């Protein structure tokens, strides 16, 4: 059920708050004395801020470098989480702004499990699944569950891998069934009387604005409409998608579980709100690589937030500042849609036929984004244009150690950097030999030998400097 797990995580916290063993203002550091938890201006990250997605932590840890992209969280353990948090500098005060964070909820789950001296799966089983009679749910596949597991399917309809989780289990590890999730839904709606009722009400209660008129409680989001409010959450892992939601008046509720990639929340809202439109079914068409190249560039969504559109092979991708990349599929020239979420993009052209802007449509909101002539680093430094011939000086492989390496390529006049196990991301020049990412807050400096040939690079990220010598051809 992917990130619907976060609502169980929030319920664990709310239950502890109701029992007065912790409060929402309890610093997470007090539950994890062996961790160095970042703070800023004397303001700690609290349990409540983690649950409200206001912690200041990024969506994913910078050292998430999966050995297997088909199972990205399986090898991310406690030591790596500890190392990342010890070196991470918060970009803003905890509580200052909303930022959806799998890392934050993984940390919350680990903190609550450590406090209880149990594994995360054991804690959820004891405090939530057993009391609610959810007998076919859990953090790990039992033999009986494995025998009944529906195979997941990716964006192309191919069979996907079942994800496994380690220390970030609280972000998305739980498996369940329609019957069990129906019990969970009824309990949250107050139709099934349980000992968790007060904790559930606390988790639902809207606490902070998250934009677009929506608010968040402890994991649960409240979507405000003229037809009434919907309390909801969705989830997605490789090959699976989920949605749970109910109207605040308690009259309607729905759970959607799918063994396919593609967020089902539009269908969920349509089931709950009489006037909500059903999701549009789009059919992808093929555009030529040259046509796709016309859309490649950066588009300014808001101050400090850009949507980067780039092409890898015959596939167009989009990536917002600080978020993951996702593939775009054309339904018509200049019109694209995503399968990972209810997102569509319309590109605009000038009279001369040059793409000049886009409009991003998501969750009922339309964001217009003009095309940027270049990119802007997080410190406000604009990119500069380098001679295309100079870019080829950097092409090659650079050994980072422990089996990882950077692969530097040039495609259509754009420099791309790919770290082992990750996607290839564009980087932009501040000056000769000095580049920056836009998808994360990181910089690359290239070093040259006495003869002027590039012989190494240095990655600057999260307060660390990682040097990678260039491999010989």
């Amino acid at each position: 059920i992917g990130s619907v797990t976060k609502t169980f995580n929030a319920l664990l916290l709310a239950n502890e708050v109701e029992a007065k063993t912790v409060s929402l203002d309890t610093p997470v550091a007090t539950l994890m004395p062996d961790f160095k938890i970042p703070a800023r201006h004397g303001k700690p990250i609290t349990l409540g801020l983690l649950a409200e997605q206001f912690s200041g932590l990024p969506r994913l840890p910078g050292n998430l470098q999966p050995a297997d992209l088909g199972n990205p969280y399986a090898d991310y353990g406690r030591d790596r989480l500890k190392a990342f948090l010890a070196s991470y500098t918060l970009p803003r005060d905890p509580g200052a702004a909303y930022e959806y964070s799998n890392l934050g909820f993984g940390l919350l789950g680990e903190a609550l499990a450590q406090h209880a001296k149990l594994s995360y799966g054991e804690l959820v089983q004891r405090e939530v699944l057993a009391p609610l009679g959810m007998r076919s749910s859990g953090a790990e596949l039992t033999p009986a569950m494995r025998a009944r597991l529906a195979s997941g399917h990716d964006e192309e309809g191919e069979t996907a891998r079942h994800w496994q989780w380690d220390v970030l289990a609280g972000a998305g590890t739980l498996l369940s069934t329609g019957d069990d999730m129906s019990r969970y839904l009824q309990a949250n709606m107050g139709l099934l009387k349980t000992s968790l009722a007060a904790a559930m009400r606390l988790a639902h209660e809207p606490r902070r604005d998250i934009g677009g008129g929506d608010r968040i409680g402890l994991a649960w989001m409240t979507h405000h409409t003229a037809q009434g409010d919907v309390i909801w959450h969705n989830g997605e892992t490789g090959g699976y998608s989920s949605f749970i939601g109910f109207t605040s008046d308690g009259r309607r509720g729905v759970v959607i579980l799918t063994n396919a990639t593609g967020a089902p929340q539009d269908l969920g809202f349509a089931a709950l709100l009489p006037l909500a439109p059903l999701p549009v079914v789009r059919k992808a068409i093929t555009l030529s690589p040259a046509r796709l190249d016309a859309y490649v560039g950066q588009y300014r969504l808001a101050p400090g937030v850009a949507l980067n559109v780039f092409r890898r092979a015959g596939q167009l991708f989009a990536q917002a500042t600080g978020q993951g990349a996702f593939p775009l599929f054309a339904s018509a020239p200049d019109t694209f849609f995503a399968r990972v979420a209810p997102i569509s993009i319309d590109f605009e052209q000038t009279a001369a036929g040059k793409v000049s802007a886009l409009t991003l449509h998501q969750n009922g909101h339309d964001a217009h984004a003009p095309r940027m002539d270049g990119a802007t680093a997080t410190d406000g430094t604009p990119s500069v244009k380098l001679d295309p011939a100079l870019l080829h000086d950097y092409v090659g492989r650079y050994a980072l150690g422990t089996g990882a390496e950077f692969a530097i390529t040039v495609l259509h006049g754009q420099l791309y950097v790919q770290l082992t196990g990750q996607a290839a991301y564009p980087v932009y020049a501040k000056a000769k030999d000095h580049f920056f990412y836009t998808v994360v807050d990181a910089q690359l400096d290239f070093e040259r030998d006495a003869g002027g040939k590039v012989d190494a690079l240095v990655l600057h990220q999260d307060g660390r400097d990682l040097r990678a010598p260039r491999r010989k051809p």
Side-chain angles (χ1 to χ4, degrees), residues 83-109:
F84 175 78
L85 293 172
S87 64
Y88 187 70
T89 301
L90 293 174
R92 58 183 175 273
D93 290 355
Y98 170 76
E99 182 175 0
Y100 189 91
S101 177
N102 281 328
L103 167 61
F105 259 87
L107 177 61
L108 176 62

Side-chain angles (χ1 to χ4, degrees), residues 77-392:
R78 206 165 186 273
D79 288 345
R80 289 171 67 180
L81 176 62
K82 183 182 289 189
F84 175 78
L85 293 172
S87 64
Y88 187 70
T89 301
L90 293 174
R92 58 183 175 273
D93 290 355
Y98 170 76
E99 182 175 0
Y100 189 91
S101 177
N102 281 328
L103 167 61
F105 259 87
L107 177 61
L108 176 62
E110 179 64 14
L112 294 172
Q114 185 167 324
H115 181 61
K117 297 181 172 58
L118 295 171
S119 71
Y120 183 76
E122 291 168 338
L123 180 60
V124 176
Q125 178 65 39
R126 186 185 76 181
E127 299 296 325
V128 180
L129 303 181
L132 295 182
M134 298 176 66
R135 297 182 178 88
S136 292
S137 303
E140 299 290 341
L141 279 173
T142 64
M145 291 167 67
R146 185 176 294 279
R148 295 186 291 124
L149 179 67
S151 297
H153 297 83
D154 64 17
E155 294 94 337
E156 304 300 327
E158 300 296 327
T159 301
R161 300 267 301 283
H162 161 63
W163 286 5
Q164 297 165 304
W165 300 73
D166 193 319
V167 73
L168 298 182
T173 192
L174 291 180
L175 300 105
S176 193
T177 65
D179 185 63
D180 274 8
M181 289 302 295
S182 176
R183 293 185 65 82
Y184 183 63
L185 174 65
Q186 291 177 67
N188 275 279
M189 294 174 68
L191 304 177
L192 180 66
K193 304 305 179 185
T194 78
S195 60
L196 295 168
M200 287 178 170
R201 288 193 296 270
L202 175 61
H204 301 158
E205 183 182 342
R207 304 176 62 82
R208 293 178 182 267
D209 293 329
I210 58 175
D214 291 354
R215 307 196 74 201
I216 191 169
L218 306 181
W220 290 95
M221 292 167 281
T222 297
H223 178 56
H224 178 70
T225 77
Q227 304 168 63
D229 291 349
V230 172
I231 301 168
W232 69 286
H233 209 290
N234 65 334
E236 185 167 1
T237 64
Y240 299 89
S241 305
S242 58
F243 175 90
I244 183 170
F246 54 94
T247 55
S248 59
D249 62 9
R251 298 180 63 186
R252 293 181 297 279
V254 65
V255 169
I256 302 173
L257 306 178
T258 74
N259 61 328
T261 297
Q265 54 258 40
D266 279 1
L267 185 59
F269 283 114
L272 295 171
L273 300 171
L275 300 182
L278 284 167
V280 176
V281 178
R282 297 180 173 90
K283 184 177 180 180
I285 65 172
T286 300
L287 298 180
S288 69
R291 181 67 180 171
L292 295 179
D293 285 344
Y295 307 113
V296 171
Q298 278 217 329
Y299 300 80
R300 188 185 304 278
L301 285 170
V305 181
L307 189 71
N308 185 49
V309 178
F310 59 98
R311 180 168 77 86
R312 290 205 307 270
Q315 181 65 60
L316 205 66
F317 288 81
Q319 185 165 30
T321 302
Q323 299 184 21
F326 56 90
L328 292 175
F329 302 88
S331 57
D334 299 339
T335 301
F336 289 76
F337 66 95
R339 288 174 172 156
V340 300
I343 295 172
S344 63
I345 292 176
D346 294 323
F347 290 92
E348 302 172 13
Q349 295 191 36
T350 65
K354 182 180 179 181
V355 175
S356 59
L358 63 77
T359 300
L360 175 73
H361 310 282
Q362 184 176 16
N363 296 331
H365 304 293
D366 302 325
H368 187 261
R371 191 173 192 160
M372 302 159 61
D373 291 332
T376 303
T378 54
D379 64 1
T381 303
S383 64
V384 299
K385 194 75 172 175
L386 296 183
D387 185 331
L390 178 60
L391 296 180
H392 289 275

